[in-house]
Amino acid sequence: MSVRAKKHLGQHFLTDENIAKKIADTLTETGYNNVLEIGPGMGVLTKYLLEKKPKVTVLELDSESVSYLQDTFPVEHIKLDTSSDNFQIIEGDFLKQNLQQLFNGEPIAIIGNFPYNISSQIVFKAIENRDLVPEFSGMFQKEVAQRIAEKKGSKAYGIISVIAQAFYDVEYLFTVPPTVFNPPPKVDSGVMRMIRKENYTLPVDEKLFIRVVKTAFNQRRKMLRSSLKSMNLSDNLKQDPIFAMRPEQLSVQEFIELTDKIASHGDRNNERTS
């Protein structure tokens, strides 16, 4: 049995065993006993995760892939421990899962060859569940992986860069060509890893921080005094030199400082999030 790649699900099955192992090896295996793989397809990455001996849960939306993983995968990989104690298959949409309930509050690493069309949403959901997710690793469209890891001063640096790097140390690891997929995508892929910071709480209101970042980058060509005017900044506050900068010029730390200035000196209504 094999699985047909479905365009509407953004499926591109990885066929290169060396790259699959290389992606699995991006996990440090530190601080968790559970690994959650999103979109396993026919299990090319899954088998290398199972070799590492953590508890592996795979989450798959495609019912045909689920049937393959339940019936064919254990037979093809008879030497792997695919018992229910070690290997769990869940049919469903990652974006709709309650991870706290699914893993009983235990820490997990998230990994996968992520569908391009929802890859950013997957990252944001992982960040929202950062108390549970000390590590996140996977393959994206190359430009998306680079954007998440990008530093200030680049046109690629944006909302997802700042929010991810506020809570995680992010590293772009390697590029994967289209030729190792079936069917091949039209663009290169890239693998990146996020390791949660030792201190992953912010010294400012986190909801306000995210609101400031999103509002600033929604008009990224403008200076902050213009792009953030909806936050009712006082005339005195707008004289601060930071408001003459554009969002891509600010580091994560400077966005934290900006949020603190707005919370301390801006309109009190700013503490309400939209």
Side-chain angles (χ1 to χ4, degrees):
M1 177 184 176
S2 62
V3 178
R4 175 179 52 87
K6 298 165 189 66
K7 188 174 182 180
H8 73 280
L9 293 177
Q11 289 178 326
H12 297 275
F13 294 136
L14 180 64
T15 58
D16 189 302
E17 298 285 339
N18 291 327
I19 291 176
K21 185 178 187 305
K22 196 174 176 182
I23 294 171
D25 287 344
T26 63
L27 293 180
T28 67
E29 301 178 64
T30 303
Y32 52 87
N33 295 315
N34 297 285
V35 173
L36 172 62
E37 182 188 359
I38 300 170
M42 290 190 290
V44 65
L45 173 60
T46 311
K47 59 176 173 284
Y48 293 109
L49 298 175
L50 285 167
E51 287 177 356
K52 292 180 174 293
K53 308 301 183 188
K55 170 72 180 289
V56 176
T57 299
V58 295
L59 188 55
E60 177 59 68
L61 187 58
D62 177 24
S63 58
E64 188 180 8
S65 291
V66 170
S67 296
Y68 177 91
L69 291 165
Q70 289 173 335
D71 302 330
T72 306
F73 180 83
V75 176
E76 290 183 339
H77 304 286
I78 195 71
K79 293 182 179 180
L80 294 175
D81 182 359
T82 55
S83 67
S84 59
D85 289 337
N86 197 53
F87 184 46
Q88 181 182 19
I89 302 166
I90 298 174
E91 183 172 354
D93 183 346
F94 170 73
L95 298 177
K96 296 178 180 178
Q97 301 298 313
N98 183 320
L99 298 183
Q100 286 283 347
Q101 289 182 0
L102 202 59
F103 292 95
N104 296 315
E106 294 182 9
I108 58 171
I110 294 177
I111 193 168
N113 172 21
F114 303 120
Y116 288 166
N117 56 341
I118 60 166
S119 60
S120 294
Q121 293 170 267
I122 290 171
V123 173
F124 281 122
K125 184 176 175 87
I127 294 170
E128 289 170 7
N129 287 273
R130 57 190 173 276
D131 286 346
L132 203 67
V133 185
E135 192 165 292
F136 178 103
S137 183
M139 183 153 53
F140 300 77
Q141 184 175 332
K142 180 182 178 181
E143 287 75 10
V144 175
Q146 288 177 324
R147 187 180 307 133
I148 298 166
E150 193 60 85
K151 303 301 181 186
K152 73 171 186 176
S154 164
K155 289 182 179 179
Y157 182 69
I159 293 170
I160 197 168
S161 321
V162 176
I163 294 175
Q165 293 172 43
F167 305 105
Y168 289 83
D169 293 319
V170 184
E171 183 180 9
Y172 183 90
L173 298 174
F174 56 91
T175 300
V176 180
T179 51
V180 300
F181 295 92
N182 180 31
K186 296 179 180 179
V187 294
D188 284 344
S189 299
V191 176
M192 72 90 189
R193 177 175 60 205
M194 308 193 314
I195 296 178
R196 192 177 61 195
K197 294 182 176 181
E198 188 172 338
N199 181 5
Y200 57 93
T201 58
L202 300 183
V204 293
D205 181 272
E206 291 175 1
K207 290 183 178 179
L208 180 59
F209 170 79
I210 291 170
R211 182 184 170 200
V212 168
V213 173
K214 289 182 175 180
T215 304
F217 277 106
N218 281 340
Q219 299 184 71
R220 63 179 302 138
R221 294 183 180 181
K222 294 186 177 181
M223 288 187 290
L224 294 171
R225 67 167 59 101
S226 296
S227 60
L228 297 177
K229 66 181 180 181
S230 64
M231 306 190 80
N232 299 319
L233 308 174
S234 68
D235 290 339
N236 184 50
L237 182 58
K238 284 189 285 189
Q239 298 309 309
D240 190 299
I242 198 169
F243 288 95
M245 299 172 73
R246 292 180 174 82
E248 69 267 18
Q249 296 176 290
L250 271 64
S251 66
V252 173
Q253 180 57 39
E254 287 169 323
F255 266 107
I256 292 171
E257 293 168 4
L258 173 63
T259 303
D260 185 52
K261 290 175 189 290
I262 291 173
S264 300
H265 304 289
D267 188 280
R268 290 182 180 178
N269 289 333
N270 289 329
E271 296 189 7
R272 294 187 302 213
T273 58
S274 58

